Amino acid sequence: MKAAPFEYCPAASLDEAVALLAGDEDAKVLAGGQSLVPLMAMRLARPSRLVDLNPIPGLDWVRLDGDRLSLGAMTRHRQVERHPELRRRCSLIAEAVEQIGHVAIRNRGTVGGSLAHADPAAEWPALVLALDAELVARGPAGTRTISAPDFFTSVFETALRPDEVLVEVRLGLPSERAGTAVLELSRRHGDFAIAGVVAVLETDGEGAVQDARLALFGVGETAVRARAAEARLLGERPDDRTIAAAAEAVDPDLHPSSDLHGSAEYRLHVARVLTRRALVQARERAGRRP
Amino acid sequence: MSWRELTLTVNGRRLSGRAEPRTTLADFLRDELGLTGTHLGCEHGVCGACTLLMDGATVRSCLIFAVQAEGHELETVEGMAAPDGRLHPIQEAFSLEHGLQCGFCTPGVLMSVRELLHENPDPTEQEIRTWLSGNLCRCTGYQNIVAAVRRASTMLRDGA
Ligand SMILES: Cc1cc2nc3c(=O)[nH]c(=O)nc-3n(C[C@H](O)[C@H](O)[C@H](O)COP(=O)(O)OP(=O)(O)OC[C@H]3O[C@@H](n4cnc5c(N)ncnc54)[C@H](O)[C@@H]3O)c2cc1C
Ligand code: FES
Ligand code: FES
């Protein structure tokens, strides 16, 4: 369990980080190290150069501006979960982040690292899909913006190029009247989810659903929006029957695999049950602050 | 690859040793500085045995490279007892409540408990269990660890 040798390059600025990445095709960014270092210890990853973003000042921020939230890539999970103003405005994000690993992992692990790592069972990718986020990357040619659905391409694969650094994620917060929920099933507290769901539900003055978002994780190559289920809800009253029908409609969007932790059918079943429960919880929270 | 001289601040003391970039903080503390109180179980972030405080917050020392710890304040289990050997109240509570058996997990548990009681001086049983979910113990069944944390919480609030 010892990493292979590598060249350690602490970056003093983003420009330097990009140049260091461009200078070695087997270079990798080191953020919180909570996913990369275990992979290196097991020698599943053997980067020849590590470009450490930790010394770069000013890459961690939580900025709330009305319905917009901007997070710096090096913002630690704990910084997000311990931001009282954000928790008041949108408890969904803190509730999801609290389910990541354990305190010591969240003290160190970063928002950008979770997104760039793109574990299909992780919470952040589902959150940014549900909240229609944009991800901002910096490369040798400058800065570009990638929408969340375009960002996640496959298991542990993203649209980031090897010489690009993720610098920021911009999320759209649900309306204050919306109800939200995040539910997941894992064997032990802090484990990656076997299946999980992020739900946002908002009704209009008549009680009909005007905004429904469901993002599932652990049930495919990437986190995924359950579009068919969302469509089933729009314009309807979110009564138990409609919610049950929506939960049944998650199937076509999900492609779970079978592994040690559960078969594909089991994961699909869990996804349906969690979707139903999350929608009920979101409905109960809609229209009032949690 | 390149070894170099490294100086870290551990329990308020400046200590030097040699490290490669790939040397983890845990290995550096144990093998170079002789501070073997920090234990290594899994070496990939899961068990919590190597937990210590960096700038007051718990981190896995198996997931940080020693070179990254330069300029930061580190606290390990060796820094808990007073110089005359008198135990820290948290250690005292673990001793009184039998919060350890083999002791392998204990240094990491103590570090996590320090952070917990600093942030939340009077945690509920559920809060204690959730907080310590990242510290695996193969001996105690956790009952006495939870009892020890509750006792430590009382002792610290009473100014023991
Ligand atoms: C015991 C344990 C339990 C965990 N449980 C969970 C869990 O339940 N849910 C969960 O979501 N996560 C979990 N994690 C992982 C944790 O959330 C990590 O923080 C996260 O996955 C990676 O973030 P990091 O900052 O540590 O990134 P690193 O490990 O430093 O990097 C991960 C990858 O992303 C790349 N990268 C990082 N930052 C950038 C950037 N800014 N630009 C470009 N590329 C970048 C790196 O090159 C690397 O390939 C767990 C980890 C451990 C050890
Ligand atoms: S040795 Fe570091 S977490 Fe297990
Ligand atoms: S006391 Fe033996 S592992 Fe915890």
Side-chain angles (χ1 to χ4, degrees):
Chain A
M1 303 301 282
K2 308 287 178 199
F6 58 85
E7 181 194 4
Y8 176 69
C9 299
S13 68
L14 269 178
D15 287 338
E16 190 186 355
V18 170
L20 284 165
L21 285 173
D24 179 342
E25 63 179 37
D26 288 326
K28 266 202 168 291
V29 167
L30 175 62
Q34 303 301 291
S35 294
L36 181 56
V37 180
L39 289 176
M40 290 172 65
M42 293 183 259
R43 304 230 175 168
L44 294 170
R46 297 181 68 137
S48 51
R49 169 185 284 182
L50 280 191
V51 179
D52 190 355
L53 302 186
N54 287 281
I56 305 178
L59 278 185
D60 59 329
W61 67 78
V62 178
R63 277 184 214 132
L64 249 180
D65 180 14
D67 288 344
R68 308 293 308 168
L69 170 68
S70 158
L71 301 171
M74 287 299 286
T75 309
R76 315 278 170 184
H77 304 310
R78 281 286 278 169
Q79 256 174 289
V80 176
E81 107 193 48
R82 297 178 71 188
H83 198 281
E85 216 184 316
L86 175 59
R87 192 181 283 267
R88 263 197 308 280
R89 173 62 183 81
C90 177
S91 60
L92 171 68
I93 296 174
E95 287 169 12
V97 170
E98 278 169 353
Q99 308 205 28
I100 300 176
H102 318 283
V103 175
I105 306 294
R106 302 199 298 275
N107 277 335
R108 193 76 189 152
T110 66
V111 177
S114 285
L115 293 167
H117 189 59
D119 190 310
E123 287 80 0
W124 273 111
L127 272 178
V128 303
L129 281 172
L131 301 181
D132 295 322
E134 291 178 337
L135 296 95
V136 183
R138 170 91 73 99
T143 298
R144 68 180 176 124
T145 304
I146 309 163
S147 75
D150 292 338
F151 186 78
F152 304 105
T153 53
S154 184
V155 187
F156 304 125
E157 298 281 344
T158 70
L160 282 178
R161 300 188 191 111
D163 55 2
E164 278 183 320
V165 178
L166 181 63
V167 291
E168 178 185 0
V169 52
R170 302 182 187 139
L171 307 103
L173 298 179
S175 130
E176 298 200 37
R177 297 176 27 92
T180 61
V182 50
L183 294 179
E184 66 180 63
L185 179 75
S186 55
R187 290 279 173 238
R188 293 161 301 197
H189 177 89
D191 281 9
F192 276 98
I194 291 169
V197 60
V198 172
V200 177
L201 197 66
E202 188 184 357
T203 47
D204 61 19
E206 314 285 282
V209 175
Q210 63 178 35
D211 185 13
R213 305 186 213 170
L214 290 165
L216 286 111
F217 49 110
V219 284
E221 294 201 328
T222 65
V224 61
R225 284 282 284 269
R227 300 281 181 187
E230 293 174 359
R232 190 70 191 70
L233 291 160
L234 285 175
E236 304 283 328
R237 281 182 187 282
D239 54 23
D240 289 348
R241 282 233 334 257
T242 306
I243 284 179
E248 290 305 310
V250 298
D251 288 30
D253 285 309
L254 312 186
H255 307 282
S257 55
S258 298
D259 63 21
L260 263 176
H261 303 287
S263 64
E265 299 79 62
Y266 174 68
R267 285 198 147 90
L268 209 51
H269 174 71
V270 172
R272 283 190 217 110
V273 172
L274 292 178
T275 301
R276 182 168 46 75
R277 290 184 189 161
L279 285 170
V280 169
Q281 193 178 330
R283 176 184 69 195
E284 261 135 46
R285 288 169 155 196
R288 66 178 164 88
R289 298 283 190 87
Chain B
M1 258 191 221
S2 51
W3 289 81
R4 72 173 178 89
E5 189 76 9
L6 199 65
T7 303
L8 300 184
T9 309
V10 190
N11 303 319
R13 289 162 59 211
R14 306 266 299 151
L15 301 171
S16 301
R18 279 156 54 77
E20 280 184 283
R22 63 167 169 164
T23 308
T24 63
L25 175 56
D27 281 341
F28 183 76
L29 291 170
R30 293 176 55 83
D31 301 344
E32 282 292 309
L33 303 185
L35 294 171
T36 53
T38 299
H39 292 171
L40 279 164
C42 66
E43 294 185 270
H44 65 274
V46 174
C47 74
C50 68
T51 305
L52 51 74
L53 297 174
M54 186 159 104
D55 303 326
T58 52
V59 293
R60 303 292 207 223
S61 60
C62 70
L63 298 186
I64 292 187
F65 296 110
V67 287
Q68 296 185 279
E70 273 189 308
H72 296 276
E73 296 283 334
L74 304 170
E75 290 171 73
T76 67
V77 70
E78 285 92 348
M80 282 187 82
D84 65 5
R86 221 174 59 114
L87 293 181
H88 185 283
I90 298 175
Q91 292 173 306
E92 185 72 33
F94 270 72
S95 163
L96 291 169
E97 295 289 345
H98 305 285
L100 65 155
Q101 287 178 25
C102 79
F104 195 85
C105 68
T106 312
V109 172
L110 292 174
M111 289 295 128
S112 292
V113 173
R114 280 185 66 177
E115 187 185 34
L116 167 63
L117 295 181
H118 182 70
E119 287 195 11
N120 181 357
D122 190 12
T124 64
E125 171 172 352
Q126 192 50 51
E127 285 169 338
I128 295 168
R129 288 185 181 275
T130 303
W131 194 276
L132 292 179
S133 67
N135 291 87
L136 302 184
C137 174
R138 297 291 80 168
C139 300
T140 62
Y142 303 100
Q143 293 296 108
N144 289 350
I145 292 182
V146 174
V149 177
R150 291 167 76 98
R151 180 128 172 191
S153 150
T154 310
M155 285 166 66
L156 285 167
R157 279 178 291 124
D158 292 349

